[in-house]
Amino acid sequence: MPKLKNSKKVSKKIKKAPVKLKKKQCVVKNNKIYPVKILKKRNNIPKRIKITIPKKKIEPVDIVRTGYNPKLLRGMKDILPEDQIMRDYLMKRLIKLSKAYGFKEIILPILEERTLFEKSTGMATDVVEKQMYQFTDRGGKKIVLRPEFTPSVVRAYIEHGMFNLTQPVKLFYHGPVFRYERPQAGRYRQFYQFGLEVLGSESALIDAEIILFSQTLFQDLGLQVSIQINSLGCISCRTIYREELTKYLRFQSKSLCADCQKRLSKNPLRVLDCKVSQCREITRQAPQLINFLCSDCKKHFTRVLECLDEANVVYSLNPYLVRGLDYYTRTVFELWPIASEEKENSSRGQTALGGGGRYDTLVESLSGRETPATGLSYGIDRIINEIKIQKVRIPRGQTPQVFFAQVGESAARQALRIFNDLQSQGIKVAENLAKTSLKSQMKIADEMGVKLTLILGQQETKDKTIIIRDMKTGNQEKVDIGKLVKELKKRLK
Ligand code: HAM
C-alpha cells in the first residue's frame, strides 16, 4: 500500500523580496499567508526572502475503494472478441445474401413510443404485457426500448411515404432488441436480431422467397434447421376458429396450466403454443386452424407450399405454430434447430433461430394505406450458439501473413510509421509494439503462424534496411527499406 506523503513537509522558494517587506513579516499568496525568512538585506531593506509553503496532501488514488463490484445485469451478455469472429462472419453473409435478394438496409432508432407496440405487437401478448423496458422521458412521453423491429419498420414505411416507391419495398435491418424475459439458455434480455420485411405485396411467392432465403442461409452456414410452417388465416376465418377452439378448451379448462386458463379468455390461440405437458396433451386433440381457412386463405397457403416445393425447400407443416405476436395473418413460420425438432416440443419455439410471417393488416392498423406485407427476424445470438452446438467450422477470416518485430529505441521510434505504411499498402501485418525483446516477439509471430517476420533493429535503422525472415525455412535476408513493400508482395504471392 503506498504511504501517504507527509503533509508537514515543506517546499521552499527563494524569491526577490517585495519592496514593502519588513523583518519577520509574512507574504500573502493565493489568499494564504506564508512565513518568510529574510536572506539578504541592503540598507536594512530585505532584498531576498525564503517563503515556506506547506506541500499539498496527495490522495493515494490507487487504494480508494468504493465497495462496489460492477456486475453484468441479469439477462445481458458481453460479446467478447473471440465471439466477434463468428458474428462478423454471420453478419457479412446475411448482408451479402439480403443484397443479392434485392433488400436495402434501414437503420431504426432503439427508442420508440410505447403505443406503437401496444397497437401492433398487441396488448395481450407477453411481449407488450410483461416484457417491455419502459420509462417516461423528460418530456413525459412513454418510451420503450424496442422489443422487436417490425412495428418500427411499418412506422418508418408510413412516415416516409414509402408507399410512393415501387412496390414491394424490401428492407433489411439489424440491431439490439430488448425483452424483460426470464433469462435461460439462448434467452437474453438484450439480444440481436437481423430481419427482412417486404411491404406492398400479397403474393404467396414473396412468402416462399423469404423462406427460401432462410434455407439458403442455413445451408450456406452448414447449420441443420427445420422449417416449421402454418397458416393463421385472415381475421374472418380465424374468428370462427377461435370460437371453436375456445369451446373445445373450455371443456378441459380445469386441466390447463394457470397461464393457459388466463389465455383462454384473452388469446386462446396461444394455448396451442404452450410448453406445459398437460396443455400439450389437450391441444393434440383440439380442432386445427388449417381446417377452418376460408377459400382465399386456403388458396394462398396452397400456393406458398407449391412455390416452396418448386424451389426444393424442405419444410414441416405444424398446425400448432401460432407465433406470439398479434399482427400475423396467413403464413407463419419458424426455423428450429434440428435437435429441438427431435425433442419436439420440449423446447417448442423456445430455441427458434428465427421466425416470421405475413402481416397484411398491420400497416392499415397503424393508419397507413392498405399494404399487405411479410417478413422474418433471426435471433443472431441463438444462431451463434447453434453454430457452436453443431460444431460448424467458420472460416477464421484473413489472418495476417506478416509480423513486424522491432528491437531498440530507434527501431521503436520508426515502428509506427513503417507499420502504418505497410497497412496502407494493403499488407496485412500484425505487431506487438508493447514487447521489446526479440525472443518474445518471435514467439508471438510463431504462434500466429505468419509466413514472414520483419525484424527492425538498431543496425537496420542506421542502414535503412530491414530483415525479412521466412518463418518456414528460417532464412533471413536484409532488404532496403524502400523496397520492402515490393519484396513482400513478391514473397506473399
Ligand atoms: P420473434 O419470434 O419474437 O419475432 O423473434 C424473432 C427471433 O428473435 C426468434 O426466433 C429468436 O431467434 C430471437 N429471440 C426472440 N426472443 C429472444 C430472446 N429473449 N433472446 C434471444 N433471442 C431471442 C419477431 O420479433 C418478429 N418481429 C419477426 C417478424 C418479422 N415477423 C414479421 N417480420
Coordinates of all heavy atoms in Angstrom, one line a residue, residues 77-138:
K77 N -25.4 -9.7 -21.9 CA -24.3 -10.5 -22.3 C -23.2 -9.7 -22.9 O -23.5 -8.8 -23.7 CB -24.8 -11.5 -23.4 CG -23.9 -12.6 -23.8 CD -24.6 -13.7 -24.5 CE -25.2 -13.3 -25.8 NZ -24.4 -13.7 -26.9
D78 N -21.9 -9.9 -22.5 CA -20.8 -9.2 -23.1 C -20.4 -10.1 -24.3 O -20.4 -11.3 -24.2 CB -19.6 -9.1 -22.2 CG -19.9 -8.2 -21.0 OD1 -20.6 -7.2 -21.2 OD2 -19.5 -8.5 -19.9
I79 N -20.2 -9.4 -25.4 CA -19.7 -10.2 -26.6 C -18.2 -10.0 -26.7 O -17.8 -8.9 -27.0 CB -20.5 -9.8 -27.9 CG1 -22.0 -10.1 -27.6 CG2 -20.0 -10.5 -29.1 CD1 -22.9 -9.3 -28.5
L80 N -17.5 -11.0 -26.5 CA -16.0 -10.9 -26.4 C -15.4 -11.1 -27.8 O -16.1 -11.6 -28.7 CB -15.5 -11.9 -25.4 CG -16.1 -11.7 -24.0 CD1 -15.6 -12.8 -23.0 CD2 -15.8 -10.3 -23.4
P81 N -14.2 -10.6 -28.0 CA -13.6 -10.6 -29.3 C -13.6 -12.0 -30.0 O -13.8 -12.1 -31.2 CB -12.1 -10.2 -29.1 CG -12.2 -9.4 -27.8 CD -13.3 -9.9 -27.0
E82 N -13.5 -13.1 -29.2 CA -13.5 -14.4 -29.9 C -14.8 -14.8 -30.5 O -14.9 -15.5 -31.5 CB -13.0 -15.6 -28.9 CG -13.8 -15.7 -27.6 CD -13.1 -15.0 -26.5 OE1 -12.4 -14.0 -26.7 OE2 -13.3 -15.5 -25.3
D83 N -15.9 -14.2 -29.9 CA -17.3 -14.4 -30.4 C -17.5 -13.5 -31.6 O -18.3 -13.8 -32.5 CB -18.3 -14.1 -29.4 CG -18.8 -15.3 -28.6 OD1 -18.4 -16.4 -29.0 OD2 -19.4 -15.1 -27.6
Q84 N -16.8 -12.4 -31.6 CA -16.9 -11.4 -32.7 C -16.6 -12.0 -34.1 O -17.2 -11.6 -35.1 CB -16.1 -10.2 -32.3 CG -16.5 -8.9 -33.0 CD -18.0 -8.6 -32.8 OE1 -18.5 -8.7 -31.7 NE2 -18.6 -8.2 -33.9
I85 N -15.6 -12.9 -34.1 CA -15.2 -13.5 -35.4 C -16.4 -14.2 -36.0 O -16.7 -14.0 -37.2 CB -14.1 -14.5 -35.2 CG1 -12.9 -13.8 -34.6 CG2 -13.7 -15.3 -36.5 CD1 -11.8 -14.7 -34.1
M86 N -17.2 -14.9 -35.2 CA -18.4 -15.6 -35.8 C -19.5 -14.7 -36.1 O -20.1 -14.8 -37.1 CB -18.9 -16.6 -34.7 CG -18.3 -17.9 -34.7 SD -19.2 -19.0 -33.6 CE -18.0 -20.2 -33.3
R87 N -19.7 -13.7 -35.3 CA -20.7 -12.7 -35.5 C -20.4 -11.9 -36.8 O -21.3 -11.7 -37.7 CB -20.9 -11.7 -34.4 CG -21.4 -12.2 -33.1 CD -21.5 -11.2 -32.1 NE -22.8 -10.5 -32.1 CZ -23.8 -11.0 -31.4 NH1 -23.7 -12.1 -30.7 NH2 -25.0 -10.4 -31.4
D88 N -19.2 -11.6 -36.9 CA -18.7 -10.8 -38.1 C -19.0 -11.6 -39.4 O -19.6 -11.1 -40.4 CB -17.2 -10.6 -38.0 CG -16.8 -9.3 -38.6 OD1 -17.6 -8.4 -38.6 OD2 -15.7 -9.2 -39.0
Y89 N -18.7 -12.9 -39.3 CA -18.9 -13.8 -40.4 C -20.4 -13.9 -40.8 O -20.8 -13.8 -41.9 CB -18.3 -15.2 -40.1 CG -18.5 -16.3 -41.1 CD1 -17.9 -16.3 -42.3 CD2 -19.5 -17.2 -40.8 CE1 -18.1 -17.3 -43.2 CE2 -19.8 -18.2 -41.7 CZ -19.1 -18.3 -42.9 OH -19.3 -19.2 -43.8
L90 N -21.2 -14.1 -39.7 CA -22.6 -14.3 -39.9 C -23.2 -13.0 -40.5 O -24.0 -13.1 -41.4 CB -23.3 -14.7 -38.6 CG -24.8 -14.8 -38.5 CD1 -25.2 -15.9 -39.5 CD2 -25.2 -15.2 -37.1
M91 N -22.9 -11.9 -39.9 CA -23.5 -10.6 -40.4 C -23.1 -10.4 -41.8 O -23.9 -9.9 -42.6 CB -23.0 -9.5 -39.5 CG -23.5 -9.5 -38.1 SD -25.3 -9.8 -38.0 CE -25.9 -8.3 -38.6
K92 N -21.8 -10.7 -42.2 CA -21.4 -10.4 -43.6 C -22.2 -11.3 -44.5 O -22.6 -10.8 -45.6 CB -19.9 -10.8 -43.7 CG -19.1 -9.6 -43.3 CD -17.6 -9.8 -43.6 CE -16.8 -8.7 -43.1 NZ -15.5 -9.1 -42.5
R93 N -22.4 -12.6 -44.1 CA -23.2 -13.5 -45.0 C -24.6 -13.0 -45.1 O -25.2 -13.0 -46.2 CB -23.2 -14.9 -44.4 CG -21.8 -15.5 -44.3 CD -21.8 -16.9 -44.9 NE -21.9 -16.8 -46.3 CZ -20.9 -17.2 -47.2 NH1 -19.8 -17.6 -46.7 NH2 -21.1 -17.2 -48.5
L94 N -25.2 -12.5 -44.0 CA -26.6 -12.1 -44.0 C -26.8 -10.8 -44.9 O -27.7 -10.8 -45.7 CB -27.1 -11.8 -42.6 CG -27.5 -13.0 -41.8 CD1 -27.6 -12.6 -40.3 CD2 -28.9 -13.4 -42.2
I95 N -25.8 -9.9 -44.8 CA -25.9 -8.7 -45.5 C -25.7 -9.0 -47.0 O -26.5 -8.5 -47.9 CB -24.9 -7.6 -45.0 CG1 -25.4 -7.2 -43.6 CG2 -24.8 -6.4 -45.9 CD1 -24.4 -6.3 -42.8
K96 N -24.8 -9.8 -47.3 CA -24.5 -10.2 -48.7 C -25.7 -10.8 -49.4 O -26.2 -10.5 -50.5 CB -23.3 -11.1 -48.8 CG -22.7 -11.2 -50.1 CD -21.4 -12.0 -50.1 CE -21.0 -12.4 -51.5 NZ -20.1 -13.5 -51.5
L97 N -26.3 -11.8 -48.6 CA -27.5 -12.5 -49.2 C -28.7 -11.6 -49.3 O -29.4 -11.6 -50.3 CB -27.8 -13.7 -48.2 CG -28.7 -14.8 -48.8 CD1 -28.1 -15.4 -50.0 CD2 -29.0 -15.9 -47.7
S98 N -28.9 -10.7 -48.3 CA -30.0 -9.8 -48.4 C -29.9 -8.9 -49.6 O -30.9 -8.7 -50.3 CB -30.0 -8.9 -47.2 OG -30.1 -9.6 -46.0
K99 N -28.7 -8.4 -49.9 CA -28.5 -7.5 -51.0 C -28.7 -8.3 -52.3 O -29.3 -7.8 -53.3 CB -27.1 -6.9 -51.0 CG -27.0 -5.8 -49.9 CD -25.7 -5.1 -49.9 CE -25.7 -4.0 -48.8 NZ -24.4 -3.4 -48.6
A100 N -28.2 -9.6 -52.3 CA -28.4 -10.4 -53.5 C -29.9 -10.6 -53.8 O -30.3 -10.8 -54.9 CB -27.7 -11.7 -53.3
Y101 N -30.7 -10.7 -52.7 CA -32.2 -10.8 -52.9 C -32.9 -9.5 -53.1 O -34.1 -9.4 -53.1 CB -32.8 -11.5 -51.7 CG -32.8 -13.0 -51.7 CD1 -31.6 -13.8 -51.7 CD2 -34.0 -13.8 -51.7 CE1 -31.6 -15.2 -51.7 CE2 -34.0 -15.1 -51.7 CZ -32.8 -15.8 -51.7 OH -32.8 -17.2 -51.7
G102 N -32.1 -8.4 -53.2 CA -32.7 -7.1 -53.5 C -33.2 -6.3 -52.3 O -34.0 -5.4 -52.5
F103 N -32.7 -6.6 -51.1 CA -33.2 -5.9 -49.9 C -32.2 -4.7 -49.7 O -31.0 -4.8 -50.0 CB -33.2 -6.8 -48.7 CG -34.3 -7.8 -48.7 CD1 -34.1 -9.0 -49.3 CD2 -35.5 -7.5 -48.0 CE1 -35.2 -9.9 -49.3 CE2 -36.5 -8.4 -48.0 CZ -36.4 -9.7 -48.7
K104 N -32.8 -3.6 -49.2 CA -32.0 -2.4 -48.9 C -32.0 -2.2 -47.4 O -33.1 -2.5 -46.7 CB -32.5 -1.2 -49.6 CG -32.3 -1.3 -51.1 CD -32.6 0.0 -51.7 CE -32.4 -0.1 -53.2 NZ -33.2 0.7 -54.0
E105 N -30.9 -1.7 -46.8 CA -30.8 -1.6 -45.4 C -31.6 -0.4 -44.8 O -31.6 0.7 -45.4 CB -29.4 -1.5 -44.9 CG -29.2 -1.4 -43.4 CD -27.8 -1.6 -42.9 OE1 -26.9 -1.6 -43.8 OE2 -27.7 -1.7 -41.7
I106 N -32.3 -0.6 -43.7 CA -32.9 0.5 -43.0 C -32.4 0.5 -41.5 O -32.2 -0.5 -40.9 CB -34.5 0.5 -43.0 CG1 -35.1 1.7 -42.3 CG2 -35.0 -0.8 -42.4 CD1 -36.5 1.9 -42.6
I107 N -32.0 1.7 -41.1 CA -31.5 1.8 -39.7 C -32.5 2.5 -38.8 O -32.9 3.7 -39.2 CB -30.1 2.5 -39.7 CG1 -29.1 1.7 -40.5 CG2 -29.6 2.7 -38.2 CD1 -27.7 2.3 -40.7
L108 N -32.9 1.9 -37.8 CA -34.0 2.5 -37.0 C -33.6 2.8 -35.6 O -32.6 2.1 -35.1 CB -35.2 1.4 -37.0 CG -35.7 1.1 -38.4 CD1 -36.4 -0.2 -38.4 CD2 -36.7 2.2 -38.7
P109 N -34.3 3.7 -34.9 CA -33.9 4.0 -33.5 C -34.2 2.9 -32.5 O -35.2 2.2 -32.8 CB -34.7 5.3 -33.2 CG -35.8 5.3 -34.1 CD -35.4 4.5 -35.3
I110 N -33.5 2.8 -31.4 CA -33.8 1.8 -30.4 C -35.0 2.2 -29.6 O -35.7 1.4 -29.1 CB -32.5 1.7 -29.5 CG1 -31.4 1.0 -30.3 CG2 -32.8 0.9 -28.3 CD1 -30.1 0.9 -29.6
L111 N -35.2 3.5 -29.4 CA -36.3 4.0 -28.6 C -37.5 4.3 -29.5 O -37.4 4.9 -30.6 CB -35.9 5.3 -27.9 CG -34.8 5.2 -26.9 CD1 -34.6 6.6 -26.2 CD2 -35.0 4.2 -25.9
E112 N -38.7 3.9 -29.1 CA -39.9 4.2 -29.8 C -41.0 4.5 -28.8 O -40.8 4.2 -27.6 CB -40.4 3.0 -30.6 CG -39.5 2.6 -31.8 CD -39.8 3.4 -33.1 OE1 -40.6 4.3 -33.0 OE2 -39.2 3.0 -34.1
E113 N -42.1 5.0 -29.2 CA -43.3 5.3 -28.3 C -43.8 3.9 -27.9 O -43.9 3.0 -28.8 CB -44.4 6.0 -29.1 CG -44.2 7.5 -29.2 CD -45.3 8.2 -29.9 OE1 -46.3 7.5 -30.2 OE2 -45.2 9.3 -30.2
R114 N -44.2 3.8 -26.7 CA -44.8 2.6 -26.2 C -46.1 2.2 -27.0 O -46.3 1.1 -27.4 CB -45.2 2.8 -24.7 CG -45.7 1.6 -24.1 CD -46.3 1.8 -22.7 NE -47.2 0.7 -22.4 CZ -46.9 -0.4 -21.8 NH1 -45.7 -0.5 -21.3 NH2 -47.8 -1.4 -21.6
T115 N -46.9 3.2 -27.4 CA -48.1 3.0 -28.1 C -47.9 2.2 -29.4 O -48.8 1.4 -29.8 CB -48.8 4.3 -28.4 OG1 -48.7 5.1 -27.2 CG2 -50.3 4.2 -28.7
L116 N -46.8 2.4 -30.0 CA -46.5 1.8 -31.3 C -46.7 0.2 -31.1 O -47.3 -0.4 -32.0 CB -45.1 2.1 -31.8 CG -44.6 1.4 -33.1 CD1 -45.5 1.7 -34.3 CD2 -43.2 1.7 -33.4
F117 N -46.1 -0.3 -30.0 CA -46.1 -1.7 -29.8 C -47.4 -2.2 -29.3 O -47.9 -3.3 -29.6 CB -44.9 -2.1 -29.0 CG -43.6 -1.8 -29.6 CD1 -43.0 -0.6 -29.3 CD2 -43.1 -2.6 -30.6 CE1 -41.8 -0.2 -29.9 CE2 -41.9 -2.2 -31.3 CZ -41.3 -1.0 -30.9
E118 N -48.1 -1.3 -28.5 CA -49.4 -1.7 -28.0 C -50.4 -1.9 -29.2 O -51.2 -2.8 -29.2 CB -49.9 -0.6 -27.1 CG -49.2 -0.5 -25.7 CD -49.6 0.6 -24.9 OE1 -50.3 1.5 -25.4 OE2 -49.2 0.7 -23.7
K119 N -50.2 -1.1 -30.2 CA -51.2 -1.1 -31.3 C -50.8 -2.1 -32.4 O -51.5 -2.3 -33.3 CB -51.3 0.3 -32.0 CG -51.7 1.4 -31.1 CD -53.2 1.7 -31.3 CE -53.6 2.8 -30.4 NZ -54.8 2.5 -29.7
S120 N -49.6 -2.7 -32.3 CA -49.1 -3.6 -33.3 C -48.8 -5.0 -32.8 O -49.5 -6.0 -33.1 CB -47.9 -3.0 -34.1 OG -46.9 -2.6 -33.2
T121 N -47.8 -5.1 -32.0 CA -47.4 -6.4 -31.4 C -48.6 -6.9 -30.6 O -48.9 -8.1 -30.6 CB -46.2 -6.2 -30.4 OG1 -45.2 -5.4 -31.1 CG2 -45.6 -7.5 -30.0
G122 N -49.3 -6.0 -29.9 CA -50.6 -6.4 -29.3 C -50.6 -6.4 -27.8 O -49.6 -6.8 -27.1
M123 N -51.6 -5.7 -27.2 CA -51.7 -5.5 -25.8 C -51.7 -6.9 -25.0 O -51.2 -6.9 -23.9 CB -53.1 -4.8 -25.4 CG -53.1 -3.4 -25.8 SD -51.9 -2.4 -24.8 CE -52.9 -1.9 -23.5
A124 N -52.3 -7.9 -25.6 CA -52.5 -9.2 -24.9 C -51.3 -10.1 -25.0 O -51.2 -11.2 -24.5 CB -53.7 -9.9 -25.3
T125 N -50.2 -9.6 -25.8 CA -49.1 -10.5 -25.9 C -48.1 -10.4 -24.7 O -48.1 -9.4 -24.1 CB -48.3 -10.1 -27.2 OG1 -47.9 -8.7 -27.1 CG2 -49.1 -10.2 -28.5
D126 N -47.3 -11.5 -24.5 CA -46.4 -11.4 -23.4 C -45.4 -10.3 -23.6 O -45.0 -9.6 -22.7 CB -45.6 -12.7 -23.4 CG -46.4 -13.9 -22.8 OD1 -47.6 -13.6 -22.4 OD2 -46.0 -15.0 -22.9
V127 N -45.0 -10.1 -24.9 CA -44.0 -9.0 -25.1 C -44.5 -7.7 -24.6 O -43.8 -7.0 -23.9 CB -43.7 -8.9 -26.7 CG1 -42.9 -7.7 -27.0 CG2 -43.0 -10.2 -27.2
V128 N -45.7 -7.3 -24.9 CA -46.2 -6.0 -24.5 C -46.7 -6.0 -23.0 O -46.4 -5.0 -22.3 CB -47.3 -5.5 -25.4 CG1 -48.0 -4.2 -24.9 CG2 -46.8 -5.2 -26.8
E129 N -47.3 -7.1 -22.7 CA -47.8 -7.1 -21.3 C -46.7 -7.2 -20.2 O -46.8 -6.5 -19.2 CB -48.8 -8.3 -21.2 CG -49.8 -8.1 -20.1 CD -50.8 -9.3 -20.1 OE1 -50.4 -10.4 -20.5 OE2 -51.9 -9.2 -19.6
K130 N -45.7 -8.0 -20.5 CA -44.7 -8.3 -19.4 C -43.3 -7.9 -19.7 O -42.5 -7.9 -18.8 CB -44.8 -9.8 -19.1 CG -46.1 -10.3 -18.8 CD -46.0 -11.8 -18.5 CE -47.3 -12.5 -18.5 NZ -47.2 -14.0 -18.8
Q131 N -43.0 -7.7 -21.0 CA -41.5 -7.8 -21.3 C -40.9 -6.5 -21.7 O -39.7 -6.5 -22.0 CB -41.3 -8.8 -22.4 CG -41.6 -10.2 -21.9 CD -41.6 -11.3 -23.0 OE1 -41.4 -10.9 -24.2 NE2 -41.8 -12.5 -22.7
M132 N -41.7 -5.4 -21.8 CA -41.0 -4.2 -22.4 C -40.2 -3.4 -21.3 O -40.7 -3.3 -20.2 CB -42.1 -3.3 -23.1 CG -42.6 -3.9 -24.3 SD -43.2 -2.8 -25.5 CE -44.7 -2.2 -24.6
Y133 N -39.1 -2.9 -21.7 CA -38.3 -2.0 -20.9 C -38.9 -0.6 -21.2 O -38.8 -0.1 -22.3 CB -36.9 -2.0 -21.3 CG -36.0 -3.1 -20.7 CD1 -36.0 -4.3 -21.4 CD2 -35.3 -2.9 -19.5 CE1 -35.2 -5.4 -20.8 CE2 -34.6 -4.0 -19.0 CZ -34.5 -5.2 -19.6 OH -33.8 -6.2 -19.1
Q134 N -39.6 0.0 -20.2 CA -40.3 1.2 -20.5 C -39.9 2.3 -19.5 O -39.6 2.0 -18.3 CB -41.8 1.0 -20.5 CG -42.3 0.2 -19.3 CD -43.7 -0.3 -19.5 OE1 -44.1 -0.6 -20.6 NE2 -44.4 -0.5 -18.4
F135 N -40.0 3.5 -19.9 CA -39.8 4.6 -19.0 C -40.5 5.9 -19.5 O -40.9 5.9 -20.7 CB -38.3 4.9 -18.8 CG -37.6 5.3 -20.0 CD1 -37.3 6.6 -20.3 CD2 -37.1 4.3 -21.0 CE1 -36.6 7.0 -21.5 CE2 -36.5 4.7 -22.1 CZ -36.2 6.0 -22.4
T136 N -40.6 6.9 -18.7 CA -41.2 8.1 -19.2 C -40.0 9.1 -19.4 O -39.1 9.2 -18.5 CB -42.1 8.7 -18.1 OG1 -43.0 7.7 -17.8 CG2 -42.9 9.9 -18.6
D137 N -39.9 9.7 -20.6 CA -38.8 10.6 -20.8 C -39.0 11.9 -20.2 O -40.0 12.2 -19.5 CB -38.5 10.6 -22.3 CG -39.5 11.5 -23.1 OD1 -40.3 12.1 -22.5 OD2 -39.3 11.5 -24.3
R138 N -38.0 12.8 -20.3 CA -38.1 14.1 -19.6 C -39.2 15.0 -20.1 O -39.7 15.9 -19.4 CB -36.8 14.8 -19.8 CG -35.7 14.2 -19.0 CD -34.3 14.8 -19.3 NE -33.3 14.1 -18.7 CZ -32.8 14.4 -17.5 NH1 -33.3 15.4 -16.8 NH2 -31.9 13.6 -16.9

